[in-house]
Amino acid sequence: MSEMRVLIVDDSSVMRKIVERSLRQAGLEPMVVLEAGSGVEGLQVLSGQSVHLILSDINMPSMDGLEFLRQLRSQNLADGVPVVMITTESSEEHVKQAILAGAQGYIRKPFTAEQVKERVLPLLTAVEGR
Amino acid sequence: MTLSLRENLHLVSDPTNLDSSVEEVFHMMLGAACRPTELAMPEEPETITAVVGFGGLLSGACVFRSGASAALAIAGKLTGMEFSEIDDTVKDAIGEVCNMLAGAWKGRTPDLSANCGLSIPAVITGSNYHIHVQAPEFRLHHVYEFESTVFEVTIICDGLQ
């Protein structure tokens, strides 16, 4: 696998590190990880850099993950880049909202590294195949 | 059709949901067992409290509370790091644990899962104090043992539709 650039958006720095660890356990090496503490920060990161994958929390201050996703799509930032939501919100309604906003995957907290691998690897394989 | 959680109060306030939520979060995120205990939380000079609010069909909060020893052990296991004091990373870790406990708990009741939102965690540190809610609809308060330390989780419901 060629070097993957991944953006992790979560207001918790601990959770960003846990997600990164899970991705590395899933075999995503070599990997460059970019971090953002909010949706606003995420948009700033993406305005200057390209990534292969975005993982975002939903409940965040200043701009939540769904609004971040809508802004991402409306500003044509990261076109074609898969987005996976990682969140404590697990109802069908939340999943539906995320998919409507443009997410390709959904991981519920708490999660295992295996679950991250199952959701993320097929998306990255598709990106690599382009 | 109007949803009513009040009609299913026995399901929402089922104490086994809290135990299984704690077990799930600790098993999946920390790779560790965590079980209810009869032990009381020991008096420690410093305590940490994380609060995640519920809003929607149910209003209230999920409250995690422990002394420094449990907080350092839990944050250490979650992050793979070692801590000697309650710093910002420990506070962040405990806030996230409380967030996941709140999400796992409400996810066990389908109508609650879809119609109840979670706030961003708030974390308070200091000497011994308690959060008091006047006349709650119900209150679940359990104490758990983790690696020879003790912490408590409380679900307080002060409004139910």
Side-chain angles (χ1 to χ4, degrees):
Chain A
M1 194 177 264
S2 57
E3 185 181 82
M4 284 288 161
R5 295 172 60 81
V6 179
L7 171 64
I8 301 171
V9 187
D10 198 305
D11 55 313
S12 162
S13 64
V14 163
M15 195 48 70
R16 294 197 299 269
K17 292 298 175 207
I18 291 169
V19 172
E20 178 181 347
R21 188 175 66 196
S22 299
L23 291 170
R24 294 196 189 281
Q25 286 173 350
L28 252 75
E29 298 282 10
M31 174 176 66
V32 173
V33 172
L34 307 173
E35 296 184 33
S38 68
V40 174
E41 268 184 44
L43 293 174
Q44 286 168 348
V45 168
L46 291 168
S47 64
Q49 300 181 72
S50 63
V51 296
H52 299 96
L53 173 71
I54 300 165
L55 296 110
S56 176
D57 186 17
I58 289 184
N59 282 343
M60 293 184 287
S62 76
M63 183 191 285
D64 72 20
L66 293 176
E67 184 56 26
F68 163 65
L69 198 44
R70 290 185 199 106
Q71 292 287 333
L72 200 67
R73 298 314 186 202
S74 69
Q75 294 179 36
N76 295 322
L77 289 168
D79 277 349
V81 173
V83 179
V84 176
M85 307 312 281
I86 300 191
T87 176
T88 49
E89 299 288 9
S90 60
S91 71
E92 291 285 323
E93 187 53 36
H94 285 105
V95 176
K96 200 167 92 180
Q97 279 183 21
I99 302 299
L100 281 173
Q104 279 72 35
Y106 202 93
I107 297 169
R108 186 178 77 89
K109 297 177 189 173
F111 56 83
T112 62
E114 193 56 36
Q115 288 172 332
V116 173
K117 184 178 179 177
E118 281 171 11
R119 305 289 197 289
V120 162
L121 282 192
L123 295 172
L124 286 176
T125 306
V127 167
E128 279 223 306
R130 281 179 203 151
Chain B
M1 197 176 89
T2 309
L3 273 173
S4 172
L5 280 179
R6 192 171 289 284
E7 289 168 10
N8 297 312
L9 181 59
H10 62 292
L11 296 175
V12 180
S13 61
D14 180 349
T16 61
N17 284 344
L18 182 54
D19 292 343
S20 52
S21 300
V22 170
E23 200 174 301
E24 179 190 40
V25 169
F26 275 71
H27 174 69
M28 290 175 86
M29 298 303 294
L30 286 80
C34 182
R35 56 188 62 83
T37 180
E38 297 298 315
L39 295 170
M41 217 175 86
E43 290 297 324
E44 290 189 51
E46 191 172 24
T47 56
I48 181 166
T49 300
V51 182
V52 171
F54 297 117
L57 279 189
L58 179 147
S59 60
C62 173
V63 183
F64 171 103
R65 182 172 169 271
S66 80
S69 55
L72 301 184
I74 291 166
K77 196 77 173 178
L78 183 67
T79 61
M81 297 159 71
E82 276 196 28
F83 300 99
S84 57
E85 59 177 345
I86 297 180
D87 61 11
D88 285 349
T89 306
V90 173
K91 291 176 197 171
D92 185 3
I94 296 303
E96 273 306 304
V97 167
C98 187
N99 186 34
M100 289 186 281
L101 290 173
W105 178 77
K106 84 176 179 95
R108 278 172 162 69
T109 307
D111 288 344
L112 194 58
S113 179
N115 299 284
C116 174
L118 299 177
S119 76
I120 288 159
V123 179
I124 310 146
T125 56
S127 55
N128 203 7
Y129 53 85
H130 293 272
I131 291 174
H132 176 73
V133 174
Q134 198 74 27
E137 295 270 1
F138 70 84
R139 181 174 180 273
L140 299 171
H141 173 81
H142 295 195
V143 181
Y144 298 92
E145 190 175 358
F146 172 72
E147 290 187 350
S148 307
T149 67
V150 172
F151 66 90
E152 54 189 37
V153 181
T154 309
I155 300 286
I156 303 165
C157 169
D158 65 1
L160 198 61
Q161 290 177 33

